[in-house]
Structures are given as C-alpha cells and as structure tokens.
Coordinates of all heavy atoms in Angstrom, one line a residue:
M840 N 0.8 -1.2 0.0 CA 0.0 0.0 0.0 C 0.9 1.3 0.0 O 0.4 2.3 -0.5 CB -0.9 0.0 1.2 CG -2.0 1.0 1.1 SD -3.1 0.8 -0.2 CE -4.7 1.1 0.5
D841 N 2.1 1.2 0.5 CA 3.0 2.3 0.5 C 3.3 2.8 -0.9 O 3.3 4.0 -1.1 CB 4.3 2.0 1.2 CG 4.1 2.0 2.8 OD1 3.1 2.5 3.2 OD2 4.9 1.3 3.4
D842 N 3.5 1.9 -1.8 CA 3.7 2.3 -3.2 C 2.5 3.0 -3.8 O 2.6 4.0 -4.5 CB 4.0 1.1 -4.1 CG 5.4 0.5 -3.8 OD1 6.3 1.3 -3.3 OD2 5.6 -0.7 -4.1
S843 N 1.3 2.5 -3.4 CA 0.0 3.1 -3.9 C -0.1 4.5 -3.3 O -0.5 5.4 -4.1 CB -1.2 2.3 -3.5 OG -1.2 1.0 -4.1
N844 N 0.2 4.7 -2.1 CA 0.1 6.0 -1.4 C 1.1 7.0 -2.1 O 0.8 8.1 -2.3 CB 0.4 5.9 0.1 CG -0.8 5.3 0.8 OD1 -1.9 5.3 0.3 ND2 -0.5 4.8 2.0
Q845 N 2.3 6.5 -2.4 CA 3.4 7.3 -3.0 C 2.9 7.7 -4.4 O 3.1 8.9 -4.7 CB 4.7 6.6 -3.0 CG 5.9 7.5 -3.3 CD 6.0 8.6 -2.3 OE1 5.8 8.4 -1.1 NE2 6.4 9.8 -2.7
H846 N 2.4 6.8 -5.1 CA 1.9 7.1 -6.5 C 0.8 8.1 -6.4 O 0.8 9.0 -7.2 CB 1.5 5.8 -7.2 CG 1.2 6.0 -8.6 ND1 2.1 6.5 -9.5 CD2 0.1 5.8 -9.3 CE1 1.6 6.5 -10.7 NE2 0.3 6.2 -10.6
L847 N -0.1 7.9 -5.5 CA -1.2 8.9 -5.4 C -0.7 10.2 -5.0 O -1.2 11.3 -5.6 CB -2.2 8.4 -4.3 CG -3.4 9.2 -4.1 CD1 -4.3 9.4 -5.3 CD2 -4.3 8.6 -3.0
K848 N 0.2 10.3 -4.1 CA 0.8 11.6 -3.7 C 1.4 12.3 -4.9 O 1.3 13.5 -5.1 CB 1.8 11.5 -2.6 CG 1.2 11.2 -1.3 CD 2.3 11.0 -0.2 CE 1.8 10.6 1.1 NZ 2.8 10.4 2.1
E849 N 2.1 11.5 -5.7 CA 2.8 12.1 -6.9 C 1.8 12.6 -7.9 O 2.0 13.7 -8.5 CB 3.7 11.0 -7.6 CG 4.5 11.6 -8.7 CD 5.5 12.7 -8.3 OE1 6.0 12.8 -7.2 OE2 5.7 13.6 -9.2
L850 N 0.7 11.9 -8.1 CA -0.3 12.3 -9.1 C -1.0 13.6 -8.5 O -1.3 14.5 -9.3 CB -1.4 11.2 -9.3 CG -0.9 10.0 -10.1 CD1 -1.9 8.9 -10.1 CD2 -0.6 10.4 -11.5
L851 N -1.3 13.6 -7.3 CA -1.9 14.8 -6.7 C -0.9 16.0 -6.8 O -1.4 17.1 -7.2 CB -2.2 14.6 -5.2 CG -3.4 13.7 -4.9 CD1 -3.4 13.3 -3.4 CD2 -4.7 14.4 -5.3
K852 N 0.4 15.8 -6.6 CA 1.3 16.9 -6.8 C 1.4 17.4 -8.2 O 1.4 18.6 -8.4 CB 2.7 16.4 -6.3 CG 3.8 17.4 -6.4 CD 5.1 16.8 -6.0 CE 6.3 17.8 -6.2 NZ 7.6 17.2 -5.8
Q853 N 1.4 16.5 -9.2 CA 1.4 16.8 -10.6 C 0.2 17.6 -10.9 O 0.3 18.6 -11.7 CB 1.5 15.6 -11.5 CG 2.9 14.9 -11.4 CD 2.9 13.6 -12.1 OE1 1.9 13.2 -12.7 NE2 4.1 13.0 -12.1
T854 N -1.0 17.2 -10.4 CA -2.2 17.9 -10.7 C -2.2 19.3 -10.1 O -2.6 20.3 -10.8 CB -3.4 17.1 -10.2 OG1 -3.4 15.8 -10.8 CG2 -4.7 17.7 -10.6
D855 N -1.7 19.4 -8.9 CA -1.6 20.7 -8.3 C -0.7 21.7 -9.0 O -1.0 22.8 -9.2 CB -1.2 20.5 -6.8 CG -1.3 21.8 -6.0 OD1 -2.3 22.4 -6.0 OD2 -0.3 22.1 -5.3
I856 N 0.5 21.2 -9.4 CA 1.4 22.0 -10.1 C 0.8 22.5 -11.4 O 0.9 23.6 -11.8 CB 2.7 21.2 -10.4 CG1 3.5 21.0 -9.0 CG2 3.6 21.9 -11.4 CD1 4.6 20.1 -9.1
A857 N 0.2 21.5 -12.2 CA -0.5 21.9 -13.4 C -1.6 22.9 -13.2 O -1.7 23.9 -14.0 CB -1.0 20.6 -14.1
F858 N -2.4 22.8 -12.2 CA -3.4 23.7 -11.9 C -2.9 25.1 -11.6 O -3.4 26.1 -12.1 CB -4.3 23.2 -10.7 CG -5.4 24.1 -10.3 CD1 -6.5 24.2 -11.1 CD2 -5.3 24.9 -9.2 CE1 -7.5 25.1 -10.7 CE2 -6.3 25.8 -8.8 CZ -7.4 25.9 -9.6
K859 N -1.9 25.2 -10.7 CA -1.3 26.5 -10.4 C -0.7 27.2 -11.6 O -0.8 28.4 -11.8 CB -0.2 26.3 -9.3 CG -0.9 26.0 -7.9 CD 0.2 25.7 -6.9 CE -0.5 25.4 -5.5 NZ 0.5 25.0 -4.5
A860 N 0.0 26.4 -12.5 CA 0.5 27.0 -13.7 C -0.6 27.5 -14.6 O -0.5 28.6 -15.2 CB 1.3 25.9 -14.5
L861 N -1.7 26.7 -14.7 CA -2.8 27.2 -15.5 C -3.5 28.4 -14.9 O -3.9 29.3 -15.7 CB -3.9 26.0 -15.6 CG -5.1 26.3 -16.4 CD1 -4.8 26.6 -17.8 CD2 -6.0 25.1 -16.3
M862 N -3.5 28.6 -13.6 CA -4.1 29.8 -13.0 C -3.2 31.0 -13.3 O -3.8 32.1 -13.4 CB -4.2 29.6 -11.5 CG -5.3 28.6 -11.1 SD -6.9 29.1 -11.6 CE -7.1 28.1 -13.1
R863 N -1.9 30.8 -13.5 CA -1.1 32.0 -13.9 C -1.3 32.4 -15.3 O -1.1 33.5 -15.7 CB 0.4 31.6 -13.6 CG 0.7 31.6 -12.1 CD 2.2 31.5 -11.9 NE 2.8 30.3 -12.5 CZ 3.0 29.2 -11.9 NH1 2.5 29.0 -10.6 NH2 3.5 28.1 -12.5
E864 N -1.6 31.4 -16.2 CA -1.8 31.6 -17.6 C -3.1 30.9 -18.1 O -2.9 29.9 -18.8 CB -0.6 31.2 -18.4 CG 0.7 31.9 -18.2 CD 1.8 31.4 -19.1 OE1 1.6 31.4 -20.3 OE2 2.9 31.1 -18.5
P865 N -4.2 31.3 -17.7 CA -5.5 30.6 -18.0 C -5.8 30.4 -19.5 O -6.5 29.5 -19.9 CB -6.6 31.4 -17.3 CG -6.0 32.7 -17.0 CD -4.5 32.6 -17.0
N866 N -5.2 31.2 -20.4 CA -5.5 31.1 -21.8 C -4.5 30.2 -22.5 O -4.6 30.0 -23.7 CB -5.5 32.5 -22.5 CG -6.6 33.4 -21.9 OD1 -7.7 32.9 -21.7 ND2 -6.3 34.6 -21.8
S867 N -3.5 29.6 -21.8 CA -2.5 28.8 -22.4 C -3.1 27.4 -22.8 O -3.6 26.7 -21.9 CB -1.4 28.6 -21.5 OG -0.5 27.5 -21.9
I868 N -3.1 27.1 -24.1 CA -3.6 25.8 -24.5 C -2.8 24.7 -24.0 O -3.3 23.7 -23.5 CB -3.6 25.8 -26.1 CG1 -4.7 26.8 -26.6 CG2 -3.9 24.4 -26.6 CD1 -4.6 27.1 -28.1
S869 N -1.4 24.8 -24.0 CA -0.6 23.7 -23.5 C -0.8 23.5 -22.0 O -0.8 22.3 -21.6 CB 0.9 24.0 -23.9 OG 1.3 25.1 -23.2
L870 N -0.9 24.5 -21.2 CA -1.2 24.4 -19.8 C -2.5 23.8 -19.5 O -2.7 23.0 -18.6 CB -1.0 25.7 -19.1 CG 0.4 26.2 -19.0 CD1 0.5 27.6 -18.3 CD2 1.4 25.3 -18.4
N871 N -3.5 24.1 -20.3 CA -4.8 23.5 -20.2 C -4.7 22.0 -20.5 O -5.3 21.2 -19.8 CB -5.8 24.1 -21.2 CG -6.6 25.3 -20.6 OD1 -7.5 25.1 -19.7 ND2 -6.3 26.5 -21.0
Q872 N -4.0 21.7 -21.5 CA -3.8 20.3 -21.9 C -3.1 19.5 -20.8 O -3.5 18.4 -20.4 CB -3.1 20.1 -23.2 CG -3.0 18.7 -23.7 CD -2.3 18.6 -25.1 OE1 -2.0 19.6 -25.7 NE2 -2.1 17.4 -25.5
Q873 N -2.0 20.1 -20.2 CA -1.3 19.5 -19.2 C -2.2 19.2 -17.9 O -2.1 18.2 -17.3 CB -0.1 20.3 -18.8 CG 1.0 20.3 -19.8 CD 2.2 21.3 -19.4 OE1 2.2 21.8 -18.3 NE2 3.1 21.5 -20.4
Y874 N -3.0 20.2 -17.6 CA -3.9 20.0 -16.5 C -4.9 18.9 -16.7 O -5.1 18.1 -15.8 CB -4.6 21.4 -16.1 CG -5.5 21.3 -15.0 CD1 -5.2 20.8 -13.8 CD2 -6.9 21.6 -15.2 CE1 -6.1 20.8 -12.7 CE2 -7.8 21.6 -14.2 CZ -7.4 21.1 -12.9 OH -8.3 21.0 -11.9
E875 N -5.5 18.9 -17.9 CA -6.5 17.9 -18.2 C -5.8 16.5 -18.2 O -6.4 15.6 -17.7 CB -7.1 18.1 -19.6 CG -8.0 19.3 -19.7 CD -9.2 19.2 -18.7 OE1 -9.8 18.0 -18.6 OE2 -9.6 20.1 -18.0
E876 N -4.6 16.4 -18.7 CA -3.9 15.1 -18.7 C -3.6 14.7 -17.2 O -3.7 13.5 -16.9 CB -2.6 15.2 -19.5 CG -2.9 15.2 -21.0 CD -1.7 15.5 -21.8 OE1 -0.5 15.6 -21.2 OE2 -1.8 15.6 -23.0
A877 N -3.2 15.6 -16.4 CA -3.0 15.3 -15.0 C -4.2 14.9 -14.3 O -4.2 13.9 -13.5 CB -2.4 16.5 -14.3
K878 N -5.4 15.5 -14.6 CA -6.6 15.2 -14.0 C -7.1 13.8 -14.4 O -7.5 13.0 -13.6 CB -7.7 16.2 -14.3 CG -7.7 17.5 -13.6 CD -8.9 18.3 -13.7 CE -9.6 18.3 -15.1 NZ -10.7 19.1 -15.3
I879 N -6.9 13.5 -15.7 CA -7.3 12.2 -16.2 C -6.4 11.1 -15.5 O -6.9 10.0 -15.1 CB -7.1 12.1 -17.7 CG1 -8.2 13.0 -18.4 CG2 -7.2 10.7 -18.3 CD1 -8.1 13.2 -19.8
A880 N -5.1 11.3 -15.4 CA -4.2 10.3 -14.8 C -4.7 10.1 -13.3 O -4.7 8.9 -12.9 CB -2.8 10.8 -14.8
L881 N -5.0 11.2 -12.6 CA -5.4 11.0 -11.2 C -6.8 10.3 -11.1 O -7.0 9.4 -10.3 CB -5.6 12.4 -10.6 CG -6.0 12.5 -9.1 CD1 -5.1 11.7 -8.2 CD2 -6.1 13.9 -8.7
D882 N -7.7 10.7 -12.0 CA -9.0 10.0 -12.0 C -8.9 8.6 -12.3 O -9.6 7.7 -11.7 CB -10.0 10.7 -13.0 CG -10.4 12.1 -12.5 OD1 -10.3 12.4 -11.3 OD2 -11.0 12.8 -13.4
T883 N -8.1 8.2 -13.3 CA -7.9 6.9 -13.7 C -7.3 6.0 -12.6 O -7.8 4.9 -12.3 CB -7.0 6.8 -15.0 OG1 -7.6 7.5 -16.0 CG2 -6.8 5.4 -15.4
Y884 N -6.3 6.6 -11.9 CA -5.7 5.9 -10.8 C -6.7 5.7 -9.7 O -6.7 4.6 -9.1 CB -4.4 6.6 -10.4 CG -3.7 5.9 -9.3 CD1 -3.0 4.7 -9.6 CD2 -3.8 6.3 -8.0 CE1 -2.4 4.0 -8.6 CE2 -3.2 5.6 -7.0 CZ -2.5 4.4 -7.3 OH -1.8 3.7 -6.3
T885 N -7.4 6.7 -9.3 CA -8.3 6.6 -8.2 C -9.4 5.6 -8.5 O -9.9 4.8 -7.6 CB -8.9 7.9 -7.7 OG1 -9.5 8.6 -8.8 CG2 -7.8 8.8 -7.1
T886 N -9.9 5.6 -9.7 CA -10.9 4.6 -10.1 C -10.4 3.2 -10.0 O -11.1 2.3 -9.5 CB -11.4 4.9 -11.6 OG1 -12.0 6.2 -11.6 CG2 -12.5 3.9 -12.0
S887 N -9.2 3.0 -10.5 CA -8.6 1.7 -10.4 C -8.4 1.3 -9.0 O -8.6 0.1 -8.6 CB -7.2 1.7 -11.1 OG -6.5 0.5 -11.0
L888 N -7.9 2.2 -8.1 CA -7.7 1.9 -6.7 C -9.0 1.5 -6.1 O -9.1 0.5 -5.3 CB -7.1 3.1 -6.0 CG -6.5 2.9 -4.7 CD1 -5.4 1.8 -4.7 CD2 -5.9 4.2 -4.2
K889 N -10.1 2.2 -6.3 CA -11.4 1.9 -5.8 C -11.9 0.5 -6.2 O -12.4 -0.2 -5.4 CB -12.4 3.0 -6.2 CG -12.3 4.3 -5.6 CD -13.3 5.3 -6.1 CE -13.1 6.7 -5.7 NZ -14.1 7.6 -6.3
Q890 N -11.7 0.2 -7.5 CA -12.1 -1.1 -8.0 C -11.3 -2.2 -7.3 O -11.9 -3.2 -6.9 CB -11.9 -1.2 -9.5 CG -12.4 -2.5 -10.1 CD -13.9 -2.6 -9.9 OE1 -14.7 -1.7 -10.1 NE2 -14.3 -3.8 -9.4
T891 N -10.0 -2.0 -7.1 CA -9.2 -3.0 -6.5 C -9.6 -3.2 -5.0 O -9.7 -4.4 -4.6 CB -7.7 -2.6 -6.5 OG1 -7.3 -2.4 -7.8 CG2 -6.8 -3.5 -5.8
L892 N -9.9 -2.1 -4.3 CA -10.4 -2.3 -2.9 C -11.7 -2.9 -2.9 O -12.0 -3.8 -2.0 CB -10.4 -0.9 -2.3 CG -9.1 -0.2 -2.0 CD1 -9.3 1.2 -1.5 CD2 -8.3 -1.0 -1.1
S893 N -12.6 -2.6 -3.8 CA -13.9 -3.2 -3.9 C -13.8 -4.7 -4.1 O -14.5 -5.6 -3.5 CB -14.8 -2.6 -5.0 OG -16.0 -3.2 -5.1
D894 N -12.9 -5.1 -5.1 CA -12.7 -6.5 -5.4 C -12.2 -7.3 -4.2 O -12.7 -8.4 -3.9 CB -11.7 -6.7 -6.6 CG -12.3 -6.2 -7.9 OD1 -13.5 -6.0 -8.0 OD2 -11.5 -6.1 -8.8
K895 N -11.3 -6.7 -3.5 CA -10.7 -7.3 -2.3 C -11.8 -7.5 -1.2 O -11.9 -8.5 -0.5 CB -9.6 -6.5 -1.7 CG -8.3 -6.6 -2.5 CD -7.2 -5.8 -1.9 CE -5.9 -5.9 -2.7 NZ -4.8 -5.2 -2.1
C896 N -12.7 -6.5 -1.1 CA -13.7 -6.6 -0.1 C -14.7 -7.7 -0.5 O -15.1 -8.5 0.4 CB -14.5 -5.3 0.0 SG -15.7 -5.2 1.2
L897 N -15.0 -7.8 -1.7 CA -15.9 -8.9 -2.2 C -15.3 -10.3 -2.0 O -16.0 -11.2 -1.6 CB -16.3 -8.7 -3.6 CG -17.3 -7.6 -4.0 CD1 -17.4 -7.5 -5.5 CD2 -18.6 -8.0 -3.4
Q898 N -14.0 -10.4 -2.2 CA -13.3 -11.7 -2.0 C -13.3 -12.1 -0.6 O -13.5 -13.3 -0.2 CB -11.9 -11.6 -2.5 CG -11.7 -11.5 -4.0 CD -10.3 -11.3 -4.4 OE1 -9.4 -11.1 -3.6 NE2 -10.1 -11.3 -5.7
Q899 N -13.2 -11.1 0.3 CA -13.2 -11.4 1.8 C -14.6 -11.9 2.2 O -14.7 -12.7 3.1 CB -12.7 -10.3 2.6 CG -11.2 -10.0 2.4 CD -10.7 -8.8 3.2 OE1 -11.6 -8.0 3.7 NE2 -9.4 -8.6 3.3
R900 N -15.6 -11.3 1.7 CA -17.0 -11.7 2.0 C -17.3 -13.1 1.6 O -18.1 -13.7 2.3 CB -18.0 -10.7 1.4 CG -18.0 -9.4 2.0 CD -19.0 -8.5 1.4 NE -18.9 -7.1 1.9 CZ -19.5 -6.1 1.3 NH1 -20.3 -6.2 0.3 NH2 -19.4 -4.9 1.8
H901 N -16.7 -13.6 0.5 CA -17.1 -14.9 0.0 C -16.2 -16.0 0.6 O -16.3 -17.1 0.2 CB -16.9 -14.9 -1.5 CG -18.0 -14.0 -2.2 ND1 -19.3 -14.0 -1.8 CD2 -17.9 -13.2 -3.2 CE1 -20.0 -13.2 -2.6 NE2 -19.1 -12.7 -3.5
R902 N -15.4 -15.7 1.5 CA -14.5 -16.7 2.1 C -15.2 -17.3 3.3 O -16.0 -16.9 4.0 CB -13.2 -16.1 2.6 CG -12.3 -15.8 1.4 CD -11.0 -15.3 1.9 NE -10.2 -14.9 0.7 CZ -9.1 -14.4 0.7 NH1 -8.4 -14.2 1.8 NH2 -8.4 -14.1 -0.4

C-alpha cells in the first residue's frame, strides 16, 4: 500500500502543479492540456484503486 500511497501523492502533486501553472496563464492551450492530462491520470488511478479495494472486499466476504 505504501507504493500506492506514494503514487497517489505524486499524481496529486502533478495535478496541483499543473493547476497552479494554469491559473497563472489561463489562456494557455498547452497548460490547459497538461492540467487535463494530470486530472485524467489522477481520476484513472483513483478509479482503479477503488475497484481493487472493492474486489478485495468482495473476495473477503465470500470466504
């Protein structure tokens, strides 16, 4: 779980950095794209993590 936590922290950091850069230059197409990509990476990871935890919970119930 430590690797998962570290990866999550890194994705959050990347998203935060991209957001702050975008706030400084809100009309920048490249910064908008970077922020969108960071959000997608974070959303994808959290969705995957939720599914993994849900699967583990279901496996434990069926034992």
Side-chain angles (χ1 to χ4, degrees):
M840 191 63 138
D841 286 339
D842 287 339
S843 294
N844 286 341
Q845 193 60 35
H846 187 60
L847 180 58
K848 285 179 185 179
E849 185 60 33
L850 289 171
L851 287 167
K852 180 180 175 181
Q853 290 172 0
T854 304
D855 188 50
I856 290 169
F858 178 75
K859 288 177 180 175
L861 180 59
M862 290 299 96
R863 287 191 299 273
E864 294 183 54
N866 295 324
S867 170
I868 294 171
S869 64
L870 292 177
N871 269 288
Q872 185 175 356
Q873 288 174 12
Y874 177 58
E875 287 302 319
E876 290 172 0
K878 285 193 320 182
I879 289 169
L881 180 59
D882 289 345
T883 300
Y884 183 73
T885 56
T886 298
S887 173
L888 195 56
K889 287 177 187 177
Q890 186 61 48
T891 299
L892 292 173
S893 178
D894 291 347
K895 286 182 181 181
C896 186
L897 285 173
Q898 286 175 357
Q899 289 179 350
R900 289 182 186 166
H901 292 317
R902 289 184 183 178

